[in-house]
Amino acid sequence: MRNITKIIIHCATTRPSMDIGAKEIRVWHVRDNGWADIGYHGVIRRDGTLESGRPMDQPGAHTSGHNANSIGICLVGGVKEDGKTPESNFTPEQWATLDRVVHELLQKFPNATVHGHNEFAQKACPSFDVQKWLTAEGII
């Protein structure tokens, strides 16, 4: 297994009315970016379902310079209906799944730290402050 030091949270930058999952994101990443597979290791749909993405034993393609030692989790949503304005519009089911997944990953990789994509790139992704969320949820 890879030496995982970071868990990085992303959003799909999709409207709240879009109910997509790993299948659609995989098509975008392969077709539009020319990647071999989806960049994320997991995708959390609007109903809270966690879908598998890239196998965890393989580096992702989600955060430049940090893929070798990280796990990427993507929440579907993240922008308003206009398709461009960042918005933390995730469902209660998504939050519950994210909480569970982060707890499970931290048990599996106890030395890992949790971050938002925006901590490594000039982007709004995942459209919320991950560090504030971690504190509010009592994860850290």
Side-chain angles (χ1 to χ4, degrees), residues 46-128:
R46 303 293 292 170
D47 68 358
T49 301
L50 174 65
E51 296 183 342
S52 295
R54 191 175 288 220
M56 289 239 237
D57 64 347
Q58 297 177 14
H62 55 86
T63 306
S64 183
H66 300 276
N67 291 314
N69 297 90
S70 67
I71 298 291
I73 302 297
C74 178
L75 293 155
V76 173
V79 293
K80 291 183 177 185
E81 282 298 331
D82 65 14
K84 53 190 169 185
T85 306
E87 179 178 66
S88 180
N89 53 23
F90 309 109
T91 66
E93 295 84 2
Q94 285 178 294
W95 288 115
T97 300
L98 181 63
D99 187 271
R100 178 180 52 81
V101 168
V102 168
H103 274 97
E104 289 171 0
L105 288 171
L106 287 172
Q107 285 191 334
K108 188 171 186 173
F109 308 107
N111 296 321
T113 54
V114 183
H115 305 274
H117 186 201
N118 54 9
E119 295 176 49
F120 303 104
Q122 292 295 317
K123 299 180 177 210
C125 175
S127 297
F128 68 97

Side-chain angles (χ1 to χ4, degrees), residues 10-12 25 29 38-43 52-54 60-62 72-74:
H10 299 264
C11 69
I25 295 172
H29 285 180
I38 186 172
Y40 311 115
H41 296 95
V43 175
S52 295
R54 191 175 288 220
H62 55 86
I73 302 297
C74 178

